Amino acid sequence: MLDGAGKILQLLSFFLPLASMNTAYILLGSNEGDRLQHLSGALNLIQKEIGTISRQSAIYVTVAWGYTEQPDFLNQVICLQTVLSPYQLLKNLLHIEQELGRVRTGTKWMQRIIDLDILFYNDLAMNEQELTIPHPHIQDRKFVLVPLQEIAGTFMHPVFKKNILELTAICRDTSEVKKLTVVKQEQK
């Protein structure tokens, strides 16, 4: 069931020409509480409030970046089709984080319920105070590159002019990125 915003987005996407549809790549991450449930909740809200998820990577287990004395993250990358502008997309992602219980403290690299980052928006390159696209650290982080290459290996980074496979090959990050294996319990 779509809410008001979802219905409006659905109607807009039907009536607007395809040229106004935008492709964004979003990184989802969680390392607090029921991490799988937080990722699932974020995916549901993104689909409901922002646009259509056209591709999604597997979920990966990764060590925390920056401040490492915290639980491992679950990370996933999605490809999203949206009519929203970059700023509208950011605003909606921040709202979803808040809806799922994230409280921003201003301290970087700390434990969090959910983290939603815009990696790419079409082939846009912008560097504003509120928003930088592409995300400025894509090329430095295997926890971003590994799931991203799974769904968009040949996507060309608009600033570095290298595709994701090439960036992954030259990335100096040596941290382990493991694909999550989810074991479903049988019903009795």
Side-chain angles (χ1 to χ4, degrees), residues 16-87:
L16 293 174
L18 290 178
S20 66
M21 210 36 118
N22 301 291
T23 300
Y25 289 92
I26 311 295
L27 174 70
L28 295 80
S30 176
N31 76 332
E32 189 175 298
D34 187 341
R35 301 170 300 167
L36 280 174
Q37 182 59 43
H38 297 314
L39 293 181
S40 176
L43 290 171
N44 289 336
L45 288 170
I46 288 168
Q47 186 83 18
K48 181 178 171 186
E49 298 177 12
I50 296 178
T52 302
I53 298 171
S54 58
R55 284 175 279 167
Q56 62 187 59
S57 74
I59 297 171
Y60 290 84
V61 180
T62 62
V63 296
W65 179 268
Y67 177 69
T68 57
E69 297 299 317
Q70 56 182 307
D72 288 347
F73 271 85
L74 294 186
N75 290 109
Q76 182 176 36
V77 172
I78 61 170
C79 179
L80 177 65
Q81 305 304 311
T82 185
V83 296
L84 298 180
S85 72
Y87 286 105

Side-chain angles (χ1 to χ4, degrees), residues 37-186:
Q37 182 59 43
H38 297 314
L39 293 181
S40 176
L43 290 171
N44 289 336
L45 288 170
I46 288 168
Q47 186 83 18
K48 181 178 171 186
E49 298 177 12
I50 296 178
T52 302
I53 298 171
S54 58
R55 284 175 279 167
Q56 62 187 59
S57 74
I59 297 171
Y60 290 84
V61 180
T62 62
V63 296
W65 179 268
Y67 177 69
T68 57
E69 297 299 317
Q70 56 182 307
D72 288 347
F73 271 85
L74 294 186
N75 290 109
Q76 182 176 36
V77 172
I78 61 170
C79 179
L80 177 65
Q81 305 304 311
T82 185
V83 296
L84 298 180
S85 72
Y87 286 105
Q88 291 169 319
L89 176 58
L90 175 63
K91 180 180 175 188
N92 285 32
L93 290 172
L94 292 172
H95 176 74
I96 288 171
E97 287 182 348
Q98 188 175 23
E99 229 178 302
L100 291 172
R102 177 162 182 191
V103 177
R104 289 184 174 268
T105 63
T107 306
K108 285 183 157 267
W109 302 317
M110 296 306 291
Q111 200 168 316
R112 47 201 168 270
I113 289 172
I114 192 72
D115 190 27
L116 304 172
D117 290 333
I118 301 171
L119 301 176
F120 295 110
Y121 183 94
N122 298 326
D123 60 355
L124 179 67
M126 65 181 282
N127 189 358
E128 302 294 328
Q129 184 175 348
E130 304 84 21
L131 181 59
T132 300
I133 298 174
H135 190 287
H137 301 292
I138 291 170
Q139 68 284 352
D140 302 321
R141 299 175 174 172
K142 278 179 59 180
F143 72 85
V144 176
L145 290 167
V146 171
L148 184 57
Q149 80 175 9
E150 182 183 325
I151 64 169
T154 59
F155 184 84
M156 189 66 65
H157 192 293
V159 174
F160 296 119
K161 305 299 183 202
K162 293 184 183 324
N163 69 35
I164 301 308
L165 292 168
E166 292 169 318
L167 290 174
T168 304
I170 62 173
C171 180
R172 293 182 179 181
D173 180 4
T174 59
S175 58
E176 187 176 14
V177 179
K178 299 182 292 192
K179 193 178 283 192
L180 180 67
T181 305
V182 179
V183 179
K184 295 185 180 181
Q185 294 183 348
E186 291 185 34

